[in-house]
Amino acid sequence: MAEAKGPLKAVVGYYGESKGSAADVLYNYQFLEHLEGDLSGTNINTLIDEWEFATQNASGIAIGTTSWVLSDMYNERVASRYGQKYVQALNALIFTLNGVPFTYYGQEIGMESSDVETDGIGVYDPAQPQGNNTVPVNRIGQITPMQWTAEANAGFSNTSNTWLPINPNFETINVEVQKDDATSVLSTYAQMAKLRDSSPSMLAGKPRDILTTDAIYAFRRQYPDWPGYFIAINLSDEDVTEDYNALDSSLPAGGTLIFSSRGDGEGTVKFNNLVIRPAETIIVQF
């Protein structure tokens, strides 16, 4: 895996078509840094298409493994950029796309960027070599300690003073408080990881777009002779009802709702009258 920034055409040049010549996977800064603050299905679909088109050879074959990235140390955390309500939906989305989903620590519990007071330059990092030991201001809010528990120092350390202060919300956003809550960010994250690892269609099924609007991005994935999956994310503030059979005649009449990013997905649904709630990603098996 390699990290490279710059114009998309230049970045994908770090992929190599012969074994050992270059990177197998590139960290997808294109998706991370061009995912608009005002989320829309149109923007998401455009970024996916641009990356996948740029990473194909003349025969239309991918020259490297795609990745999907939502957070890193240089950009505000997902919960801070888009709000807590979108964390589970976006986490679920990148697990269902074709490629490798990257997780920046704390993303699996919805950690937020922290406001750390500085002198406007940065903070001293004793672990870095002399002469290069200042962490820039734009990174500080994303590198505060992992929030494990509601105890002192969020269970991260038993020291009296951590290098960077713990985010004050650690008592409500931490692993311990979420691990037994079926609707929490951590629980839905674990559910998606398990589904992805156990499904050939999620791992290798070719994606096919069904609907792209500002409110909805919907697609399907299916590997031959294995169950297929319908995936959709609602990026609006209202329920959205669509007739997906009219949009894709090869879809069956219905399927089994096996996942909702709200943590309450189950039961049979009909594709001709399917309701997706605000800030929700759903997965229907058929």
Side-chain angles (χ1 to χ4, degrees):
M1 193 277 284
E3 295 186 31
K5 282 190 174 185
L8 182 56
K9 186 176 181 180
V11 167
V12 299
Y14 285 90
Y15 276 129
E17 291 198 59
S18 60
K19 186 176 181 181
S21 65
D24 296 311
V25 183
L26 290 175
Y27 201 75
N28 193 340
Y29 282 109
Q30 175 80 2
F31 190 77
L32 168 62
E33 297 183 346
H34 292 84
L35 192 60
E36 296 171 352
D38 187 10
L39 290 167
S40 75
T42 305
N43 175 229
I44 288 173
N45 187 43
T46 296
L47 293 176
I48 292 170
D49 285 351
E50 286 178 347
W51 181 270
E52 295 194 336
F53 179 78
T55 56
Q56 292 177 356
N57 62 18
S59 301
I61 299 172
I63 59 175
T65 301
T66 300
S67 74
W68 305 106
V69 183
L70 292 171
S71 297
D72 72 351
M73 67 181 70
Y74 300 103
N75 294 273
E76 272 195 311
R77 289 180 174 275
V78 177
S80 297
R81 276 193 291 164
Y82 306 115
Q84 281 288 349
K85 69 178 183 178
Y86 282 112
V87 174
Q88 286 160 281
L90 290 170
N91 278 347
L93 176 68
I94 65 169
F95 267 107
T96 60
L97 295 174
N98 183 36
V100 178
F102 277 91
T103 299
Y104 185 63
Y105 84 94
Q107 182 179 321
E108 71 274 32
I109 61 170
M111 275 181 62
E112 299 175 358
S113 296
S114 185
D115 293 325
V116 179
E117 292 186 10
T118 72
D119 58 7
I121 299 174
V123 295
Y124 172 70
D125 183 355
Q128 296 299 320
Q130 189 173 3
N132 184 32
N133 52 15
T134 298
V135 177
V137 173
N138 69 326
R139 286 176 49 186
I140 297 170
Q142 288 74 246
I143 60 173
T144 55
M146 178 66 183
Q147 295 164 205
W148 294 101
T149 71
E151 298 175 354
N153 291 327
F156 178 81
S157 171
N158 59 9
T159 185
S160 59
N161 187 30
T162 55
W163 169 56
L164 288 177
I166 310 293
N167 193 312
N169 64 20
F170 75 93
E171 292 184 348
T172 56
I173 300 177
N174 64 68
V175 172
E176 186 176 54
V177 78
Q178 292 189 24
K179 65 182 182 180
D180 296 321
D181 177 0
T183 65
S184 71
V185 180
L186 181 61
S187 292
T188 55
Y189 182 94
Q191 187 181 354
M192 277 306 311
K194 183 178 180 180
L195 173 62
R196 177 184 172 84
D197 286 347
S198 63
S199 168
S201 290
M202 281 293 185
L203 290 172
K206 184 175 176 60
R208 191 169 86 189
D209 291 346
I210 297 176
L211 176 64
T212 300
T213 67
D214 283 347
I216 297 290
Y217 176 54
F219 62 101
R220 58 184 290 178
R221 296 190 67 184
Q222 186 167 19
Y223 193 73
D225 301 322
W226 286 86
Y229 296 95
F230 169 92
I231 303 108
I233 182 171
N234 180 357
L235 298 151
S236 76
D237 294 324
E238 300 177 347
D239 288 356
V240 176
T241 305
E242 291 285 352
D243 180 353
Y244 291 97
N245 285 128
L247 298 168
D248 184 348
S249 60
S250 65
L251 278 175
T256 303
L257 180 64
I258 61 169
F259 176 85
S260 165
S261 58
R262 292 193 175 195
D264 58 358
E266 59 181 18
T268 301
V269 299
K270 299 293 185 182
F271 284 121
N272 66 354
N273 188 38
L274 184 56
V275 180
I276 306 173
R277 295 170 293 181
E280 179 180 36
T281 294
I282 66 166
I283 301 175
V284 180
Q285 181 177 299
F286 58 87

